[in-house]
Amino acid sequence: MLRIASLALALTLAACSAGQTPEAAETEPAQRLTVFTGGTIYTGLPDLPTVDAVVVGEDGRIVGTAPPLSEDWDEAEIDLVDLKGAYMYPGFTDAHAHLMGIGQRELNLTLEGTASIAELVTRIGAELDGMEPGVLLYGRGWIETGWPEGRMPSAADLDAVSPDNPVILSRADGHAMVVNTAALVAAGITDETENPDGGAIERDADGHATGILIDNAMGLVSSLWTEPDAAAKALALETGAKVYVSRGWTGVHNMSVGPDEAPIMLELAGEGNMPLRLWNAFDATEEGMALAAAQDYEAPTITNHAIKLYMDGALGSRGAQLIKPYSDRPDTSGLSLITNEDLADFMKRADESGIQVAVHAIGDLANQRLLDIYEAGGYPPEKRWRIEHTQILAPADIARVGDLGLIASMQPSHAIGDLHFAPSRLGMDRLAGAYAWKALIDDGAVVAGGSDAPVEVGSPLIEFYAAVARKDLKGFEGEGWHPEQKLTREQALALFTSAAAYAAFQEDDLGSIEAGKLADFTVFDIDLMTVPQAEILDAKTVMTVVGGKIVYDSSTAEDE
């Protein structure tokens, strides 16, 4: 039997930690308890790294762990969850992802894995076969690094199979797209069209538009597609959430959220169709700012208190803003998507409204500008404002992140993908400050880990592996990959648990397995903390638990 006295004391202490007096707690009806046991349970706590069992109350919070509680229980008095030898961790949170895009990737044309321009053209031709003339074809997910042609696709490549239909194909990073001539014509883009602020229409040596649109130039074709309605958005959000819990994620820091998505997410949660815990950062529009300030449309599993801004574009499409020109394109140093004055104004307004700020910054100049403006504003570490990506830093700026109290929100998989082409974009010298997770941690910064899905796959296993191995998925590492930036297993676990919780002001509720915290757990079939690096990628999700509720169970899940 579970020691009744010990449990009663634990329940009383848990109730008191929630604000009840001991007398009130003792008069509450006895909770039906759930015990997770039968495997190795990592707590994320240095003083008690593993326990044998976790006791969870009906309110979805952890009552206690064994040890120190006794493991002698009467199974008639509890609900027992047998881990069957699996390995349980504090719930993994993806600290940077785009839930709508994750769901849309499952529902729409995805070009992930396309290996060449020739294959891309063939796939588009097949998609258009039988389609009515004039109907738009949209797809996402191509990335040209590693293609035998050694370049991005062009309108001319697509035109041969799409003479009568506009085609818009977004690059995997979402910061560039290729469109065919029919789309250029329909959008009114000519060789004489000027580049918009923060965007570029790529042109060939003769000044002709190639069909590649970078960052804000992508908006020039936005009139060609119809915005999904509320039902379509709800389907995408629900689909993305189901995919994510099946991979072991218990929560998402959901980036660049449209304000109109907030009531949809709240409705899904109320219907029981949003199994993830969500922290939303809204587009920095007037509506988004007002929503975040008021914290509208929140629920126990939904937090709406942040906005998302963009300093620059992405490295792969050469939109990341660099201090010096690109090594492989000396005619450009990237793009600025916001002026210093506008950023300072957004920061001031957010500070006055109590809004948390997340800022996309990839290039070393974009990061430096952000650090300078933040420092000039005199904002304290207590704000917990975030640099999303923190991807390339001038070496002198690495220590500034921690010194200023900014949170580095980073995606380990970006490194193991980008480092195949980053040496050509940056040259070897600038790689010293690229994807510098360990240097940032060593200098006192909090580093929260995410995936940036659907830019990347969105797998906690890939992200964990990338953080500890700093090799690609085939085990390759090359010159300039800086293996000294690898993390320990404990540091990698913290990226997605305790650091992610801290980055969302949720460290009192999430990030470790201990009494009083919410019962969010991730269960895999292998021990991520001890297996050889390559075997991390072979792990399977056994169970995902959010607030004490099993939201994914591989033993009952339908075959994918």
Side-chain angles (χ1 to χ4, degrees):
M1 294 177 297
L2 187 60
R3 301 296 185 195
I4 301 303
S6 297
L7 256 192
L9 175 61
L11 284 166
T12 299
L13 291 174
C16 291
S17 70
Q20 287 181 272
T21 65
E23 294 78 10
E26 289 174 2
T27 61
E28 288 289 321
Q31 292 190 46
R32 179 73 179 180
L33 301 174
T34 300
V35 176
F36 293 80
T37 190
T40 301
I41 300 172
Y42 285 97
T43 64
L45 300 171
D47 296 336
L48 187 65
T50 61
V51 294
D52 299 320
V54 180
V55 182
V56 177
E58 290 179 350
D59 61 354
R61 289 189 178 269
I62 300 167
V63 173
T65 62
L69 296 177
S70 166
E71 294 182 58
D72 297 329
W73 47 66
D74 182 347
E75 294 188 11
E77 297 178 354
I78 63 168
D79 294 321
L80 185 68
V81 178
D82 186 357
L83 299 176
K84 299 179 180 178
Y87 301 84
M88 189 165 93
Y89 309 85
F92 274 53
T93 293
D94 188 334
H96 184 114
H98 306 269
L99 188 59
M100 178 74 73
I102 294 164
Q104 289 173 336
R105 177 174 60 184
E106 299 295 317
L107 299 168
N108 300 327
L109 172 62
T110 178
L111 300 170
E112 288 181 9
T114 303
S116 65
I117 291 174
E119 182 182 341
L120 179 71
V121 172
T122 299
R123 292 190 64 182
I124 297 310
E127 289 290 331
L128 289 169
D129 187 29
M131 188 177 288
E132 289 291 325
V135 175
L136 171 71
L137 176 64
Y138 175 81
R140 176 174 177 159
W142 62 269
I143 185 165
E144 81 288 351
T145 55
W147 283 2
E149 295 90 350
R151 62 176 176 84
M152 290 187 178
S154 68
D157 295 318
L158 302 177
D159 288 345
V161 295
S162 60
D164 302 317
N165 297 81
V167 175
I168 299 175
L169 307 176
S170 292
R171 194 174 186 270
D173 60 11
H175 286 270
M177 60 175 49
V178 61
V179 305
N180 67 350
T181 297
L184 290 172
V185 171
I189 300 172
T190 69
D191 297 341
E192 287 72 40
T193 302
E194 294 185 1
N195 290 334
D197 290 340
I201 302 167
E202 292 287 279
R203 306 170 201 271
D204 62 21
D206 296 322
H208 301 309
T210 65
I212 291 291
L213 306 176
I214 309 293
D215 286 307
N216 287 350
M218 296 187 294
L220 298 176
V221 296
S222 62
S223 62
L224 301 187
W225 66 76
T226 302
E227 179 76 8
D229 61 19
K233 290 183 177 182
L235 177 60
L237 289 165
E238 182 178 353
T239 300
K242 288 180 178 177
V243 167
Y244 248 41
V245 295
S246 76
R247 293 178 180 167
W249 296 112
T250 59
V252 169
H253 296 178
N254 189 21
M255 296 291 164
S256 305
V257 179
D260 65 317
E261 296 173 42
I264 298 172
M265 287 183 280
L266 180 62
E267 183 174 358
L268 288 170
E271 296 169 346
N273 293 323
M274 179 48 66
L276 285 168
R277 197 176 298 282
L278 299 176
W279 175 95
N280 293 312
F282 293 92
D283 293 332
T285 61
E286 290 301 320
E287 186 179 0
M289 292 277 288
L291 194 157
Q295 295 186 255
D296 288 335
Y297 302 108
E298 289 196 332
T301 56
I302 299 175
T303 300
N304 298 329
H305 194 44
I307 58 166
K308 170 82 179 296
L309 298 160
Y310 287 85
M311 295 296 295
D312 63 347
L315 183 66
S317 50
R318 299 185 185 86
Q321 189 185 27
L322 304 180
I323 295 171
K324 295 181 179 179
Y326 279 82
S327 296
D328 59 355
R329 278 278 304 275
D331 61 313
T332 182
S333 298
L335 298 169
S336 171
L337 303 189
I338 191 171
T339 66
N340 290 358
E341 294 75 19
D342 284 346
L343 177 62
D345 180 61
F346 271 114
M347 285 184 170
K348 182 175 183 293
R349 293 173 59 198
D351 179 42
E352 292 170 349
S353 299
I355 297 171
Q356 194 175 2
V357 178
V359 186
H360 164 118
I362 288 183
D364 52 8
L365 180 54
N367 277 284
Q368 190 173 86
R369 290 171 55 216
L370 172 55
L371 291 167
D372 290 346
I373 296 165
Y374 181 87
E375 185 171 19
Y379 301 109
E382 292 77 19
K383 293 292 179 185
R384 300 192 196 179
W385 288 0
R386 305 162 47 134
I387 309 177
E388 303 301 324
H389 308 306
T390 334
Q391 201 161 303
I392 305 154
L393 293 167
D397 287 333
I398 291 174
R400 296 179 68 197
V401 177
D403 289 345
L404 292 171
L406 284 159
I407 293 167
S409 172
M410 305 181 75
Q411 300 75 48
S413 60
H414 281 345
I416 65 172
D418 291 5
L419 282 168
H420 284 283
F421 65 82
S424 64
R425 295 282 192 277
L426 300 173
M428 287 298 170
D429 290 345
R430 282 186 283 194
L431 292 177
Y435 318 96
W437 321 309
K438 188 172 187 301
L440 283 159
I441 291 173
D442 288 347
D443 280 333
V446 173
V447 177
S451 75
D452 202 13
V455 175
E456 303 287 353
V457 173
S459 162
L461 300 169
I462 291 175
E463 299 303 330
F464 189 94
Y465 164 84
V468 301
R470 208 171 172 95
K471 300 174 182 177
D472 73 11
L473 300 184
K474 297 180 180 178
F476 172 82
E477 59 180 327
E479 183 183 3
W481 284 48
H482 288 275
E484 73 275 9
Q485 294 294 340
K486 296 175 184 177
L487 300 183
T488 67
R489 306 287 176 111
E490 291 75 18
Q491 287 173 324
L493 181 63
L495 295 185
F496 310 102
T497 55
S498 58
Y502 181 87
F505 288 93
Q506 294 173 334
E507 69 271 20
D508 290 340
D509 290 322
L510 300 170
S512 58
I513 296 177
E514 57 185 308
K517 290 196 173 183
L518 290 164
D520 286 13
F521 310 136
T522 298
V523 185
F524 294 120
D525 64 347
I526 66 171
D527 189 343
L528 301 184
M529 310 304 284
T530 61
V531 298
Q533 288 176 355
E535 293 182 20
I536 294 170
L537 297 171
D538 297 328
K540 301 290 187 296
T541 307
V542 174
M543 188 182 302
T544 307
V545 181
V546 177
K549 179 182 178 181
I550 298 172
V551 295
Y552 174 80
D553 184 341
S554 63
S555 67
T556 59
E558 297 179 359
D559 293 336
E560 295 185 5

